[in-house]
Amino acid sequence: MKNRPKVLMIVTLDTKAVEASFIRNILESEGVDVIHLDASIRESTDSSVEISPEEIAAAAGKTLQEVRDLGHEGKCQAVMIEGAVKCALEAHKNTPISGIIGVGGSMGTALATVVMQTFAYGIPKVMVSTMASGFTRPFVGAKDIIMFNPVCDIAGLNSITRDVFSNAAIATAAMAKAFTPVRVEPKPLIAMGTLSTIDSCTVRVRKSLEAQGYEVMVFHTLGTGGFALDQIVQERDVAAVVDVSLVEHNDFLNNGLCSDGPERSKAALAKGIPVVFAPGNADFMVSGPIDMAKAQFPGKRYHMHNHALTAVRTEADELASLAKHLGGLIKEAKGPVSFYVPLKGFSHHDSPEGHLHDPALCPVFATAIKLELPANVPVHEFDCHINDAQFADAIVAQVLLYTKGSTGAAA
């Protein structure tokens, strides 16, 4: 008989024994075997679980009683997270895991999703969590974690939670049965950021590079996208980065909605990966609904992108600050960097058809970035818009120059 797929189930029995039993029964009835990781602390639990609380504590160098004696839920959980990660990875090493499901409130979600984040992209990861309705970024991070909202608290079974738990378990089992380890394409990998406002540029870049034998991963740079791009750069063998959507930097500097913090773009620069920069989307910051945008950025020019998001025009001072910030990052680069500047617009908003067009401001940024960059970083200026084919083709040519020796790329 063919071995059944293995699913790692992360549920604490000291508070969620009924839910754990219910989900386990469904998983097994759907044709998968369960490896139950139980990180309970409060009470002794079923000794038949595959990975017990005692084993988890021991993996972190403590007894379970020593964990309890810490007397602080945060400190206790930190130990159990450390042990849970070690135990989960050891289980995966011994018996490959084809899927993961977790159930919990804020504490259980924190533990389970840290474990999930240590597993490779592609392995199904399902989290049933009371945190799923809105507050998800700290738990999902840049990984492919699916979150189910149980609607009710995870406190026994009722007519709603039975359906949610059942759906989550059935989905996990189905994905686990279909899962096969990701086959790494023998192609050089390019990571690139974008938004729809520069799609004409980035789609052309992607298609051109794909035609040349590259794999291109494109990330939506609204905070989480840039974070994911940088994490991929840290984890994978990336041939080059096309960092041409800089709104996350603007929002970090100006407290916009899409900030990814001060570390954005550092991964490739620190790793020595070639980077092609362009000031795509540098013409605006992102705020919330129009009334919020006007209160946050009074006296600016606004474009209501939709009812939830407003683009706020950057002016000369914000563009100068962006140039200074980027210059500081790029000065630390350990690999080659080029900067490409279109002088007729940085996004669709900043075009004759857009609502924030100001042709006087692109040269302001070009002058500022040249003053801020080290002498070994060339600045290429183009008398065109970022979405013009000429500009995209120049970026492609630079990527090819940087990566012409990469395995799998066309000669």
Side-chain angles (χ1 to χ4, degrees):
M1 182 178 176
K2 183 179 178 181
N3 289 335
R4 287 160 42 120
K6 305 296 187 292
V7 169
L8 181 69
M9 183 178 75
I10 307 174
V11 189
T12 53
L13 286 176
D14 58 354
T15 59
K16 296 169 180 64
V18 172
E19 296 88 344
S21 176
F22 181 80
I23 291 169
R24 181 171 193 138
N25 287 338
I26 292 174
L27 289 169
E28 290 176 341
S29 69
E30 290 293 318
V32 299
D33 291 335
V34 175
I35 299 172
H36 186 176
L37 186 152
D38 174 18
S40 298
I41 298 174
R42 298 180 188 179
E43 300 174 4
S44 297
T45 61
D46 184 352
S47 61
S48 67
V49 296
E50 286 75 14
I51 303 174
S52 69
E54 290 78 11
E55 292 175 82
I56 294 168
K62 292 188 179 294
T63 66
L64 189 55
Q65 188 57 51
E66 286 173 333
V67 175
R68 292 169 177 159
D69 290 344
L70 291 171
H72 184 288
E73 72 276 15
K75 293 178 181 179
C76 293
Q77 189 186 51
V79 174
M80 297 303 276
I81 286 175
E82 178 186 347
V85 167
K86 291 179 180 178
C87 289
L89 293 177
E90 183 65 21
H92 183 48
K93 179 181 176 182
N94 295 332
T95 306
I97 289 168
S98 297
I100 308 172
I101 185 170
V103 177
S106 64
M107 298 294 279
T109 301
L111 184 143
T113 55
V114 169
V115 173
M116 291 176 186
Q117 288 180 34
T118 65
F119 280 74
Y121 291 95
I123 293 179
K125 307 169 187 74
V126 174
M127 185 71 222
V128 183
S129 170
T130 55
M131 310 304 292
S133 182
F135 190 59
T136 60
R137 183 173 180 179
F139 307 113
V140 175
K143 280 299 177 80
D144 51 342
I145 296 172
I146 301 167
M147 296 192 77
F148 276 69
N149 179 16
V151 183
C152 303
D153 193 14
I154 300 172
L157 302 174
N158 59 51
S159 58
I160 292 178
T161 58
R162 282 178 184 274
D163 285 343
V164 175
F165 295 148
S166 178
N167 289 341
I170 291 168
T172 303
M175 289 187 288
K177 288 187 287 187
F179 172 73
T180 56
V182 174
R183 181 175 67 87
V184 178
E185 292 286 343
K187 298 178 180 180
L189 174 61
I190 308 298
M192 178 168 64
T194 194
L195 290 179
S196 62
T197 45
I198 60 167
D199 257 359
S200 294
C201 173
T202 53
V203 169
R204 186 177 179 91
V205 170
R206 175 179 60 80
K207 289 182 176 180
S208 296
L209 289 173
E210 288 173 344
Q212 293 278 349
Y214 293 79
E215 179 183 5
V216 183
M217 290 186 181
V218 183
F219 299 86
H220 198 67
T221 55
L222 283 177
T224 54
F227 179 66
L229 186 158
D230 289 340
Q231 185 161 325
I232 289 291
V233 165
Q234 291 173 331
E235 295 180 2
R236 300 247 182 136
D237 184 14
V238 175
V241 171
V242 180
D243 215 342
V244 295
S245 181
L246 304 185
V247 69
E248 291 164 324
H249 291 283
N250 261 345
D251 279 12
F252 164 64
L253 295 171
N254 299 287
N255 297 314
L257 288 183
C258 299
S259 170
D260 189 31
E263 302 300 308
R264 176 71 180 91
S265 299
K266 285 186 178 180
L269 298 172
K271 201 172 177 180
I273 295 170
V275 183
V276 181
F277 279 100
N281 302 315
D283 53 297
F284 62 90
M285 304 165 285
V286 179
S287 187
I290 186 68
D291 290 342
M292 174 182 170
K294 289 181 177 180
Q296 184 179 9
F297 300 105
K300 295 286 190 180
R301 290 177 278 179
Y302 315 96
H303 171 57
M304 191 173 74
H305 184 58
N306 55 44
H307 73 278
L309 296 175
T310 302
V312 181
R313 174 73 224 196
T314 49
E315 304 296 346
D317 54 346
E318 285 104 0
L319 291 172
S321 295
L322 176 63
K324 184 176 182 179
H325 174 68
L326 293 170
L329 296 176
I330 293 170
K331 285 173 184 175
E332 303 299 320
K334 296 181 179 179
V337 177
S338 297
F339 215 110
Y340 282 65
V341 182
L343 295 175
K344 291 190 175 178
F346 293 164
S347 80
H348 178 73
H349 294 326
D350 187 22
S351 71
E353 298 80 25
H355 300 273
L356 300 174
H357 188 39
D358 191 334
L361 288 174
C362 292
V364 170
F365 177 82
T367 299
I369 197 67
K370 284 185 285 188
L371 292 173
E372 298 292 346
L373 291 176
N376 65 331
V377 176
V379 177
H380 305 277
E381 297 178 48
F382 291 80
D383 189 30
C384 66
H385 191 273
I386 193 168
N387 284 326
D388 289 344
Q390 173 190 353
F391 192 75
D393 293 345
I395 290 174
V396 171
Q398 184 64 68
V399 172
L400 295 177
L401 284 175
Y402 280 152
T403 62
K404 59 185 177 181
S406 297
T407 302

